[in-house]
Amino acid sequence: MSSALTTASSSSSPLSSKSCYNSDCKELRPDRSRKGWRLRTGDFAELCDRCASAYEEGRFCETFHLNASGWRCCESCGKRVHCGCIVSAHAFTLLDPGGIECMTCARKNVILPLNPAWPPSLLFHSALPDRLKELSVKNWSQLAGSGPVPWRQAPSMFNSSLPSGELHHRAPYEVDISAALNKLNTSERLPVSLEKRKNEDFSERFLNGSLKPCGQDLCENGTAGGIKCDDKPSSCSNMPKQSSFVKEDSSTMQYGLNIPYAPPNEPSARGRISGTHLRPTPLSSLPKQIHTNLQNGADSSNETQLRNGRPRGESRGKNYLLPRYWPRFTDQELQQISVDSNSVITPLFEKMLSASDAGRIGRLVLPKKCAEAYFPSISQPEGLPLKVQDAKGKEWIFQFRFWPNNNSRMYVLEGVTPCIQSMQLQAGDTVTFSRLEPEGKLVMGFRKASATADQENETNKTKNGAPVHGDAELADPNSWTKVDKSGYIAKEVLGAKPSISRKRKNSTLGSKSKRLRIDNEDMIELKITWEEAQGLLRPPPNQVPNILVIEGFEFEAYEEAPVLGKPSIIPPDNTGERIQWTQCEDCLKWRKLPASALLPSKWTCSDNSWEPERSFCSAPQELSTEQLEELLSPGNSVAPVKKMKAAKLEPDNVEALEGLDTLANLAILGEGEASQTPGQATTKHPRHRPGCSCIVCIQPPSGKGPKHKQTCTCNVCLTVKRRFRTLMLRREKKQFEKEAETMRQRHKFQDEMFPDRSMDEESLTCSNTSTSKLMEEGKMNDGSDEDPNRNKPSTSPFKGQIDLNMQPEREEELSPGSDSGSMMKMLQDTGDRFLEQQRSNSGGTRSSSSDPLEPGGEREHKGESSSNVIDLSSNNLDADKDHPATLSLNPSASMSTTG
DNA sequence: TTTTCGCATGGCC
DNA sequence: TGGCCATGCGAAA
């Protein structure tokens, strides 16, 4: 071990140029040295003849590391294999049950595919010892899902029928380590804080079980289910020194970041490295062939050739996955997936959805290498159904298939639309694929673009302006950073983002697929009216606006963009003192401030540095009620003070969002706060004065206040009842129209069947039937209106008198029975009246009126289209439940009557 | 007419 | 320069 360490350490601090790179060799190398293994710098160890010969003959470890730690015995042949240094890193493979197998045995036992992710050129230079070439398979495909995935059986991991030169499987974790050290050794140390954060993150992740840390497993000699490493902890610390995979392969550098750097020959450092700070490799560089072969255990190199019509070797060196597909799972994402499972999550890959992917076609184009690596092998274009589980555990079945394309294949997942929609994904969002081990389930997660944006922002902060130099730099493991709510995540420089920024002009996020990166929650938060937004905009200080008139509206135009700030009221300048009034976020008291003061959105009394005596909430409000009333009058620049909730409950919004149900619920909300504090009530609504009794101003905050009795006749209840009735009336109208249409069709049918029926009879029957049913369901038992054909006024006190425009007080007078308990009675009468109108005024337009008390009343009543009715009714099915005695018309019942 | 399917094209890496 | 892949487009359903 010590020699290995020394060897490795020499890579970071090479000996003098004249010394043999092998620190165990005391000889000076000749001027013309021979090349040994590749260093992390990309150069090669320059060896003396003797060492070079030993290396090339595969005797290096036996010669120089014989007494080092890390020697283990092949489980098959018993041959000792050095597992602890860079030179022998590819001389063995790890076995599922633990232990190792020399590559000779490994190749005898299985057919091991090539690992093109680690192109030979990147792994070993041309002078790679033949023996090592032959043996240089190191299988870490456990990482890639060696679990009991039907299409990927563990033994096949070791399959290889490919040229020895391509047998350079790399353990992704190994890559991490070496890459990390490489990176770190090349003076790209992380800033302490960042490094610390990363360490914390990955420690957390490993410790919480969401992922099996390489380090742990590595050092535990390969326990089932995790990543196996057949070396002692000490040798784990050697792993980073296996630096044969370096800069050419950016993928090898990507994930190594997370290893805290420590000089390899420091014991303490070793412990750290071998510990829990290794980030699970996202398998970005896992070769496709390995997976292809893993898929069915068969020799898939042939398969591969079949697929592409050419040997895989042609694409050698490009087989690692593009950075944009590297999985960059956040802790949160991982935990979401594993929340109900003790499974180990193996991140596979991810893809940012293109417009096509997220479109209605329902085809998700899969990166070819990912598809071939992680999905079942398919030989027919039709492919096969693939069961994928989403993060919530719901299973989806997609058709995994391919299209022949330019002698290649284009892999797609078909039928993803429902899943995409259920995840509410759009172009620009990212879907992630991972595998649950040991179940082998394929798990599809997602990441919204907004999260990525956050991530990117965070990245930018963290990056601190460091330059980005292409892919190698993009793959810089340093780019792992932390996202506010998702834990660590790869910086976007890792792939997707740079791929966007540098992306083809009309590709993935072209103009048509751009989206505003706002999460739903954010959208909700931002769901403010234009007016509110305007109210939040503060003109730049000391700026005189230019008044523009656009389409009849005046706009203030400023040289500088307005800023978002605390809404305030700047009253007319009568005294020469320009002041503004604003409201404390905590106590809601109004405070006077200089007009030029730009206030934070969360301004409180404590921020009142202009008036220290009123810099605390207990200080009395300077404004009297009258003054405040005047201040809040429409003449002033009314700020949308504390009206967000109110705005959400404005009638229009109520209708749109919650509709009838909300209205009904309002009846049981407390009026205390609302009606008892008219001064405050107006603050909910910018256009209303104190004392306004509109439904906006009178309503209490949602969920507050005592429930009202059904007999309550307070303003709130009356208003709600009235509006409820109005809404129900419209609903009935809609239903009636529907019913009428149904009946018309049925009569048409009957007319065909019974041509001797007269039209009058039909229409009579129709009306009769509908109304009868109406009466029946509405339990209209006044006894005087049995025959609607007579068009006889109801005996109800307000039959035919319902005035949608009436004021609650008047309504109360007119309808002695119109307390809350008689709401249905009113509804019945309303429906009755409506039917009468329908009969007497076929197709006539009902005169509508507005409720002067209701701010939304005009829109609600005047010229209201049926669409509004539809919305209301459709949005308020609960209303039916709450009021089963609505005046519904039952077509079937009508039919029975008619028939 | 619309949707789906399969392939082809072409830009980008 | 070759491969990948986003997307266009025509044929089929």
Side-chain angles (χ1 to χ4, degrees):
Chain A
M1 190 58 202
S2 60
S3 59
L5 282 172
T6 308
T7 302
S9 65
S10 63
S11 66
S12 57
S13 57
L15 302 176
S16 69
S17 59
K18 285 294 182 182
S19 301
C20 175
Y21 199 86
N22 177 13
S23 59
D24 290 326
C25 173
K26 307 301 180 190
E27 294 186 11
L28 294 179
R29 59 179 169 81
D31 289 339
R32 190 159 179 261
S33 59
R34 294 165 63 179
K35 290 186 176 180
W37 54 90
R38 183 185 286 271
L39 308 178
R40 286 185 291 270
T41 60
D43 298 328
F44 296 99
E46 295 192 339
L47 305 173
C48 66
D49 282 337
R50 182 174 67 111
C51 295
S53 298
Y55 174 69
E56 290 170 7
E57 293 165 12
R59 297 181 289 105
F60 192 90
C61 289
E62 286 91 330
T63 304
F64 297 106
H65 302 157
L66 201 56
N67 297 322
S69 60
W71 284 93
R72 304 187 66 187
C73 295
C74 171
E75 297 291 332
S76 298
C77 67
K79 184 175 68 180
R80 294 183 76 217
V81 179
H82 189 221
C83 307
C85 77
I86 185 173
V87 181
S88 59
H90 309 281
F92 60 91
T93 187
L94 308 177
L95 299 179
D96 277 341
I100 64 147
E101 198 169 47
C102 72
M103 289 317 302
T104 306
C105 295
R107 297 198 61 204
K108 282 179 192 169
N109 294 338
V110 289
I111 304 170
L112 188 64
L114 104 94
N115 184 346
W118 315 104
S121 63
L122 303 182
L123 306 182
F124 291 95
H125 65 81
S126 56
L128 179 72
D130 290 341
R131 198 192 75 146
L132 288 186
K133 283 182 183 176
E134 204 171 278
L135 300 179
S136 56
V137 174
K138 186 169 186 179
N139 195 301
W140 290 80
S141 49
Q142 292 97 325
L143 288 173
S146 62
V149 185
W151 61 85
R152 189 168 300 141
Q153 293 141 9
S156 64
M157 295 185 293
F158 305 100
N159 287 358
S160 175
S161 60
L162 295 167
S164 60
E166 297 180 337
L167 298 175
H168 300 304
H169 290 199
R170 274 295 309 272
Y173 284 66
E174 193 179 338
V175 174
D176 292 350
I177 302 167
S178 61
L181 284 186
N182 174 51
K183 201 69 183 172
L184 295 167
N185 285 343
T186 51
S187 75
E188 292 189 14
R189 288 287 310 273
L190 289 172
V192 173
S193 59
L194 176 59
E195 184 176 331
K196 183 169 180 284
R197 281 165 51 191
K198 288 170 182 170
N199 295 342
E200 286 168 357
D201 167 63
F202 294 114
S203 300
E204 275 177 24
R205 188 181 303 184
F206 290 128
L207 291 174
N208 67 20
S210 62
L211 282 169
K212 293 277 185 182
C214 159
Q216 288 175 343
D217 284 332
L218 283 175
C219 301
E220 289 165 10
N221 198 12
T223 52
I227 311 307
K228 300 179 187 67
C229 172
D230 46 346
D231 210 343
K232 291 180 282 190
S234 58
S235 66
C236 291
S237 64
N238 282 341
M239 300 299 281
K241 294 174 289 186
Q242 298 168 350
S243 57
S244 51
F245 320 97
V246 281
K247 284 189 176 175
E248 292 95 327
D249 187 353
S250 62
S251 63
T252 65
M253 307 177 64
Q254 179 187 14
Y255 299 103
L257 169 70
N258 316 293
I259 306 164
Y261 172 78
N265 48 3
E266 282 183 17
S268 60
R270 265 179 260 155
R272 288 174 64 199
I273 293 172
S274 62
T276 60
H277 297 302
L278 303 178
R279 188 181 191 283
T281 294
L283 308 180
S284 61
S285 48
L286 203 64
K288 61 180 171 186
Q289 277 84 354
I290 197 172
H291 299 288
T292 305
N293 291 286
L294 290 171
Q295 290 164 7
N296 52 18
D299 179 358
S300 64
S301 60
N302 294 337
E303 163 76 11
T304 303
Q305 294 186 22
L306 267 178
R307 287 181 184 179
N308 291 349
R310 67 174 68 83
R312 282 293 189 200
E314 282 186 20
S315 58
R316 184 165 43 159
K318 292 186 178 180
N319 286 332
Y320 48 87
L321 304 183
L322 293 172
R324 78 179 91 152
Y325 304 125
W326 292 345
R328 292 166 290 114
F329 286 42
T330 66
D331 284 345
Q332 196 175 42
E333 290 163 353
L334 290 168
Q335 286 170 5
Q336 281 173 355
I337 294 172
S338 62
V339 65
D340 295 326
S341 169
N342 292 323
S343 304
V344 177
I345 304 164
T346 302
L348 300 179
F349 67 94
E350 67 180 43
K351 191 204 175 194
M352 180 178 290
L353 292 179
S354 68
S356 306
D357 297 331
R360 290 186 307 163
I361 303 175
R363 299 189 296 206
L364 171 61
V365 175
L366 294 170
K368 185 183 176 197
K369 290 183 175 57
C370 300
E372 293 183 342
Y374 305 118
F375 286 1
S377 173
I378 51 177
S379 55
Q380 298 299 318
E382 295 73 24
L384 46 80
L386 195 61
K387 191 183 288 186
V388 179
Q389 177 181 310
D390 66 18
K392 295 175 182 173
K394 183 175 181 180
E395 287 193 337
W396 305 85
I397 296 180
F398 306 133
Q399 187 71 18
F400 171 57
R401 58 171 308 172
F402 70 86
W403 308 319
N405 189 295
N406 293 337
N407 285 332
S408 180
R409 290 178 169 189
M410 194 164 175
Y411 289 91
V412 293
L413 275 184
E414 292 184 340
V416 299
T417 299
C419 181
I420 296 281
Q421 287 178 345
S422 80
M423 295 175 177
Q424 298 181 322
L425 299 181
Q426 304 176 42
D429 297 334
T430 300
V431 290
T432 61
F433 288 91
S434 55
R435 182 174 297 116
L436 283 186
E437 308 287 4
E439 302 97 311
K441 277 184 183 174
L442 205 54
V443 181
M444 183 177 175
F446 66 90
R447 185 184 312 125
K448 304 291 276 185
S450 54
T452 308
D454 293 343
Q455 171 183 336
E456 191 174 28
N457 291 337
E458 182 71 16
T459 295
N460 292 335
K461 290 178 198 165
T462 315
K463 190 82 178 178
N464 203 17
V468 176
H469 312 290
D471 283 345
E473 282 295 326
L474 297 181
D476 181 355
N478 288 320
S479 58
W480 291 95
T481 184
K482 191 165 188 172
V483 172
D484 51 356
K485 60 180 179 182
S486 346
Y488 285 96
I489 190 167
K491 281 184 180 181
E492 284 305 335
V493 291
L494 281 178
K497 285 309 155 190
S499 72
I500 290 176
S501 59
R502 298 179 300 140
K503 222 167 168 52
R504 59 192 79 171
K505 287 162 192 150
N506 4 317
S507 72
T508 309
L509 283 181
S511 58
K512 59 181 168 184
S513 58
K514 284 197 178 87
R515 71 181 281 257
L516 184 62
R517 287 175 173 172
I518 300 178
D519 268 338
N520 288 341
E521 297 158 349
D522 299 331
M523 289 182 186
I524 291 170
E525 288 299 319
L526 290 175
K527 191 180 281 184
I528 60 176
T529 65
W530 174 251
E531 183 185 0
E532 289 162 349
Q534 288 287 310
L536 291 171
L537 289 176
R538 298 294 313 280
N542 305 321
Q543 290 271 321
V544 178
N546 297 320
I547 303 300
L548 306 176
V549 179
I550 301 174
E551 293 184 359
F553 293 93
E554 286 189 356
F555 292 85
E556 290 180 350
Y558 294 86
E559 293 285 329
E560 294 178 26
V563 296
L564 280 174
K566 168 82 177 170
S568 62
I569 298 174
I570 302 178
D573 185 8
N574 297 327
T575 64
E577 181 194 18
R578 290 285 291 166
I579 59 168
Q580 63 177 320
W581 291 91
T582 194
Q583 202 177 16
C584 171
E585 286 288 312
D586 291 338
C587 66
L588 303 181
K589 290 193 176 86
W590 289 88
R591 303 297 187 197
K592 184 171 69 178
L593 306 168
S596 59
L598 272 180
L599 309 178
S601 58
K602 297 285 183 185
W603 190 90
T604 60
C605 290
S606 59
D607 298 323
N608 188 358
S609 57
W610 297 272
E611 209 174 9
E613 63 271 21
R614 298 188 197 279
S615 62
F616 40 91
C617 293
S618 58
Q621 184 171 273
E622 194 174 346
L623 286 172
S624 67
T625 306
E626 292 74 20
Q627 288 172 322
L628 182 60
E629 189 176 336
E630 184 181 355
L631 186 68
L632 295 172
S633 67
N636 285 326
S637 57
V638 180
V641 181
K642 293 293 179 190
K643 69 173 188 177
M644 286 299 291
K645 278 181 182 160
K648 285 178 184 173
L649 289 172
E650 264 184 299
D652 289 347
N653 292 343
V654 167
E655 288 167 9
L657 298 173
E658 300 169 275
L660 203 55
D661 202 27
T662 300
L663 282 174
N665 290 336
L666 286 175
I668 58 173
L669 292 177
E671 65 170 344
E673 291 182 47
S675 57
Q676 291 168 8
T677 55
Q680 272 195 353
T682 48
T683 64
K684 296 178 180 178
H685 201 294
R687 294 195 193 97
H688 294 241
R689 294 167 176 275
C692 172
S693 59
C694 80
I695 195 164
V696 175
C697 295
I698 63 178
Q699 66 192 345
S702 176
K704 291 188 176 178
K707 289 189 175 181
H708 290 216
K709 294 178 181 177
Q710 284 198 336
T711 55
C712 176
T713 57
C714 74
N715 208 15
V716 175
C717 290
L718 291 176
T719 304
V720 166
K721 288 171 195 170
R722 176 168 41 79
R723 300 204 64 218
F724 179 81
R725 188 176 61 250
T726 304
L727 295 170
M728 291 305 295
L729 179 66
R730 289 201 197 92
R731 184 172 187 165
E732 286 311 311
K733 178 186 174 186
K734 176 69 182 175
Q735 287 182 336
F736 181 83
E737 289 172 351
K738 200 172 176 181
E739 167 73 6
E741 177 63 23
T742 305
M743 293 304 299
R744 197 161 40 242
Q745 291 176 356
R746 284 178 180 164
H747 284 300
K748 187 178 177 184
F749 172 76
Q750 289 170 354
D751 192 34
E752 293 171 358
M753 301 296 291
F754 309 101
D756 51 341
R757 274 173 61 116
S758 71
M759 285 303 294
D760 288 11
E761 187 183 349
E762 289 175 20
S763 58
L764 204 77
T765 308
C766 174
S767 299
N768 197 357
T769 303
S770 303
T771 311
S772 299
K773 184 61 190 172
L774 179 73
M775 304 288 283
E776 177 185 313
E777 295 208 352
K779 293 182 174 50
M780 303 170 84
N781 54 357
D782 55 21
S784 62
D785 203 13
E786 290 292 325
D787 185 3
N789 294 325
R790 286 179 289 171
N791 201 10
K792 178 178 158 184
S794 163
T795 56
S796 168
F798 29 78
K799 252 226 185 117
Q801 300 174 16
I802 288 180
D803 181 6
L804 298 179
N805 197 26
M806 66 186 175
Q807 298 181 14
E809 296 79 11
R810 177 65 184 161
E811 186 178 332
E812 188 68 11
E813 291 169 12
L814 289 174
S815 55
S818 67
D819 57 7
S820 297
S822 63
M823 181 180 290
M824 293 318 302
K825 178 71 174 173
M826 290 193 296
L827 292 172
Q828 292 162 11
D829 293 337
T830 303
D832 194 8
R833 174 174 172 261
F834 175 72
L835 289 174
E836 290 173 3
Q837 286 183 339
Q838 289 290 317
R839 282 194 300 269
S840 61
N841 184 16
S842 62
T845 55
R846 184 166 54 95
S847 66
S848 46
S849 55
S850 63
D851 187 340
L853 289 182
E854 295 176 3
E858 289 188 2
R859 267 180 61 184
E860 184 180 341
H861 297 301
K862 280 185 184 170
E864 190 171 41
S865 67
S866 59
S867 63
N868 200 7
V869 178
I870 293 172
D871 287 344
L872 289 168
S873 59
S874 61
N875 286 339
N876 297 282
L877 298 178
D878 285 345
D880 278 339
K881 294 182 216 161
D882 295 336
H883 306 281
T886 53
L887 307 178
S888 63
L889 300 173
N890 190 330
S892 60
S894 302
M895 188 65 186
S896 64
T897 307
T898 308

